[in-house]
Amino acid sequence: MDVRQLQVSAIKNGTVIDHIESKNTFKVANILHIEDEHQLVLVGVNLTSGNLGKKGLIKIEGKNLTQDEANKIALIAPDATLNIIKDYEVIEKKKVSLQDELIGIVKCFNPNCISNHEKVRTRFYVERKDLPRLRCHYCERAMEREDIELL
Ligand code: CTP
Ligand code: ZN
């Protein structure tokens, strides 16, 4: 008997976010507002995975990620893989990656920053992508992963 079955069923058309650090799986689920989906959504946590030990994944039927969603996932789950599924086949596979500038998706952690006091969209320059480091356009402070709060 072949015991190497999928731990979470396949989907027909949509997006699979794979290789999420298990403990961050529900943060990614929140970014994607899966509670508003009407089609099939499968969430797996603590799945066995070769290199990560344990991983999480999210499969959403009929979903295409927006650029903002992809950037947010790259901040919360920098090792995640995005798979696009069409007719049950993986037609595209890529690592999540941050754009060079992030506008209006992250809050500045400096309480004195103008972006926390005036109606301006936050703006950050991405100085490092793998272990995210963002520099605020307004106050020039640098934030690392543990400081990052999504808007
Ligand atoms: N998947 C799915 N539905 C499909 C095809 C694939 O849900 N119809 C999922 C798989 O379960 C897996 C991910 O999409 O979580 C990527 O599929 P695949 O590339 O076949 O798996 P792996 O080779 O294990 O991927 P990787 O090399 O990225 O670990
Ligand atoms: Zn700032």
Side-chain angles (χ1 to χ4, degrees):
M1 191 183 82
D2 189 355
V3 292
R4 295 169 298 168
Q5 293 170 343
L6 285 185
Q7 299 179 92
V8 179
S9 327
I11 60 170
K12 181 161 192 241
N13 290 296
T15 297
V16 174
I17 302 115
D18 199 355
H19 306 123
I20 306 169
E21 241 182 299
S22 231
K23 64 175 167 48
N24 291 326
T25 308
F26 290 100
K27 288 188 192 164
V28 175
N30 285 335
I31 290 169
L32 298 174
H33 297 288
I34 60 170
E35 70 277 13
D36 295 330
E37 289 291 335
H38 298 290
Q39 297 193 66
L40 180 67
V41 178
L42 299 167
V43 178
V45 294
N46 296 332
L47 301 170
T48 357
S49 162
N51 47 355
L52 281 179
K54 291 196 167 173
K55 68 169 184 181
L57 62 71
I58 301 176
K59 304 185 176 194
I60 309 175
E61 190 78 45
K63 172 82 178 174
N64 286 311
L65 295 184
T66 66
Q67 192 62 255
D68 277 0
E69 287 171 333
N71 277 317
K72 289 179 182 180
I73 293 170
L75 289 170
I76 298 304
D79 297 322
T81 309
L82 304 180
N83 298 277
I84 315 293
I85 314 295
K86 267 233 156 66
D87 280 325
Y88 289 107
E89 300 290 330
V90 179
I91 60 155
E92 194 184 337
K93 179 192 289 288
K94 58 182 184 209
K95 282 269 156 204
V96 290
S97 92
L98 283 172
Q99 289 182 297
D100 297 333
E101 273 184 55
L102 301 179
I103 296 173
I105 69 165
V106 174
K107 180 178 155 53
C108 184
F109 77 147
N110 170 8
N112 298 320
C113 180
I114 191 171
S115 70
N116 286 317
H117 297 280
E118 292 185 15
K119 279 238 158 296
V120 291
R121 299 178 82 194
T122 63
R123 182 182 193 118
F124 291 89
Y125 304 108
V126 177
E127 289 192 339
R128 197 174 58 203
K129 296 194 177 189
D130 48 346
L131 255 177
R133 183 166 63 223
L134 314 179
R135 191 168 297 277
C136 179
H137 167 74
Y138 297 101
C139 71
E140 298 184 343
R141 296 266 296 264
M143 301 199 298
E144 307 230 335
R145 196 172 173 200
E146 61 276 11
D147 311 312
I148 293 170
E149 190 185 325
L150 298 175
L151 282 169

